[in-house]
Amino acid sequence: METKVSVIIPVYNAERYLAECIESLMKQSLQECEFLFINDGSTDQSVSVIENYARQDRRIKLVRQDNQGVSAARNTGLRAASGEYVGFVDADDYIEPDMMAVLYKAAKQYASDVVISNFETEIEGHWVQTRFPFLTNRLLDREFVRREILPYFLRSDQLNSVWNKLYRNELIQDCGAAFPDKVALGEDGIFNMRVFCHASSAVYLDYCGYHYREVDGSATRDIIGKDYFQRALEVYLTDVPEMKAIPLGREEIRKLKAARLIHSVMSYVYLYFQAAQKVSFKARFAYVSRMIANPHVQEALAFYADEKAGKLGRYDRWLLEAIRGRSAISLYCITSYSKLRSAANK
């Protein structure tokens, strides 16, 4: 049976949610799939869970390697993938039974190199759906990819994820796209920029089949340990070669990157003060203080404020004024007020 879609699932100590993930894959209405579980040196019972399900479904394939990180695991999966298209799923997430069928049908209908879809994120017990400002359910040609999609990677983190997309395997192999190994920043975004720089077409579906679960070790629980702000800052300061394919001037690219950094800082302020309760308040306060005092943040803020003048809501304006004034105590008060209002409106 010809494999239509190869799904790559990197696994590292994912025992807690792994069964739900596997069962959602086994329920896929598209039968011509292979599920490549890349065990990245797990020390829990993840391998036993996969082996148990593999005895029930021949589409499940287990590949073992020493612990090398998620990028290396995904690259191992890419080398093993035999499908016409390639998709990705994280081991602690799950997908709808028709997801691969819906994305594959669109890929074939439009003869598209990449299919993009929406996804849901679990935030503090609520599911929030992420959509994109692209034309839906139609072929987006090479020019649209260059003028709209590639710049979006500079403007926002939202499109970076690989698990809400389907990629033509031949395109990945021909352009040599891979996840950068041992890179501490945006490896998904770099992979996507490499693919989209060579893509002739894309399709965006207003469909949501992916459910992203926030688990221990994610941004809201380990933001200081993983130093997400430093990663965002490195993205802001780094020019990847793929930027040359974006038909924008240097100043326009700088504005997009500034907007992305400020959006990240605004998100991290809330996470540090209102979500990362396992970290002492003193440590969180000190971190936010250093973050908003960073000269690159203040530089990006000037670009962002000029671009967004008159377009922001009251909460965002308050945040920006407090960041501009380098006032961590004001930011704490603003985010606390926002959280109280959100709780009152539930």
Side-chain angles (χ1 to χ4, degrees):
M1 180 174 64
E2 180 185 0
T3 302
K4 293 179 177 178
V5 176
S6 296
V7 184
I8 297 170
I9 311 99
V11 179
Y12 178 71
N13 291 350
E15 178 185 359
R16 181 179 178 185
Y17 296 111
L18 189 54
E20 185 178 12
C21 173
I22 296 174
E23 288 175 11
S24 76
L25 292 169
M26 292 171 64
K27 292 175 183 175
Q28 290 304 295
S29 57
L30 181 69
Q31 292 298 309
E32 299 89 341
C33 294
E34 64 175 357
F35 307 126
L36 300 171
F37 288 85
I38 315 301
N39 180 56
D40 191 43
S42 295
T43 57
D44 64 358
Q45 296 301 308
S46 292
V47 169
S48 296
V49 173
I50 298 167
E51 288 177 333
N52 179 55
Y53 281 103
R55 286 190 285 270
Q56 305 172 40
D57 193 326
R58 61 181 177 77
R59 296 175 299 173
I60 295 173
K61 301 175 182 178
L62 174 62
V63 180
R64 304 168 188 255
Q65 66 179 38
D66 294 335
N67 180 245
Q68 301 172 52
V70 65
S71 288
R74 285 174 172 161
N75 288 336
T76 297
L78 287 174
R79 289 190 292 271
S82 63
E84 182 183 2
Y85 283 83
V86 174
F88 298 87
V89 171
D90 282 355
D92 40 31
D93 301 335
Y94 65 95
I95 63 176
E96 291 297 316
D98 66 345
M99 179 173 172
M100 293 304 159
V102 170
L103 269 60
Y104 181 77
K105 180 180 178 181
K108 297 299 287 183
Q109 178 182 348
Y110 297 101
S112 178
D113 283 336
V114 188
V115 180
I116 304 167
S117 66
N118 303 325
F119 63 90
E120 278 191 335
T121 305
E122 186 182 21
I123 300 176
E124 297 182 356
H126 299 277
W127 289 100
V128 178
Q129 188 169 146
T130 297
R131 291 184 168 89
F132 305 100
F134 307 137
L135 299 171
T136 60
N137 305 316
R138 67 187 70 184
L139 188 70
L140 307 175
D141 62 16
R142 170 68 179 160
E143 190 62 19
F144 188 97
V145 171
R146 291 178 67 246
R147 292 194 172 277
E148 300 293 334
I149 297 180
L150 280 172
Y152 200 89
F153 287 111
L154 300 183
R155 181 187 302 121
S156 171
D157 291 325
Q158 290 183 322
L159 193 60
N160 280 357
S161 302
V162 293
W163 27 251
N164 66 320
K165 302 175 182 69
L166 209 59
Y167 306 86
R168 189 192 301 278
N169 198 356
E170 185 179 11
L171 171 65
I172 294 174
Q173 305 304 324
D174 287 349
C175 72
F179 292 87
D181 199 16
K182 295 180 172 56
V183 170
L185 58 90
E187 54 276 352
D188 284 21
I190 292 174
F191 173 82
N192 272 313
M193 287 194 72
R194 288 174 177 172
V195 171
F196 277 93
C197 276
H198 294 89
S200 298
S201 60
V203 171
Y204 168 50
L205 302 181
D206 189 12
Y207 159 85
C208 182
Y210 196 95
H211 305 284
Y212 172 76
R213 179 186 279 116
E214 187 182 88
V215 297
D216 289 345
S218 62
T220 59
R221 292 174 173 80
D222 194 22
I223 47 180
I224 289 180
K226 290 190 174 181
D227 205 347
Y228 277 74
F229 169 65
Q230 182 60 35
R231 293 171 63 172
L233 193 60
E234 289 173 3
V235 170
Y236 175 69
L237 296 173
T238 301
D239 288 336
V240 297
E242 287 75 19
M243 286 184 189
K244 294 177 182 178
I246 301 174
L248 296 175
R250 188 171 185 83
E251 190 74 2
E252 292 173 291
I253 288 177
R254 192 175 183 186
K255 287 180 180 179
L256 292 176
K257 294 179 73 176
R260 179 174 176 170
L261 178 62
I262 296 304
H263 284 150
S264 295
V265 169
M266 292 166 72
S267 298
Y268 297 155
V269 164
Y270 185 87
L271 291 176
Y272 284 118
F273 278 146
Q274 301 304 323
Q277 302 299 336
K278 291 184 179 179
V279 182
S280 73
F281 179 79
K282 181 179 180 181
R284 289 182 280 136
F285 189 89
Y287 196 94
V288 169
S289 298
R290 290 195 301 271
M291 180 170 64
I292 62 178
N294 187 285
H296 295 296
V297 170
Q298 294 294 322
E299 170 194 78
L301 187 63
F303 279 98
Y304 183 82
D306 288 344
E307 188 74 10
K308 296 291 183 179
K311 302 176 184 177
L312 298 172
R314 182 172 59 180
Y315 173 76
D316 287 343
R317 291 200 305 271
W318 286 351
L319 282 182
L320 292 178
E321 285 302 315
I323 294 170
R324 182 181 286 108
R326 300 173 173 83
S327 176
I329 191 63
S330 295
L331 290 170
Y332 176 71
C333 293
I334 293 166
T335 56
S336 297
Y337 173 74
S338 174
K339 188 170 185 177
L340 287 172
R341 277 185 60 89
S342 296
N345 291 331
K346 287 181 181 177

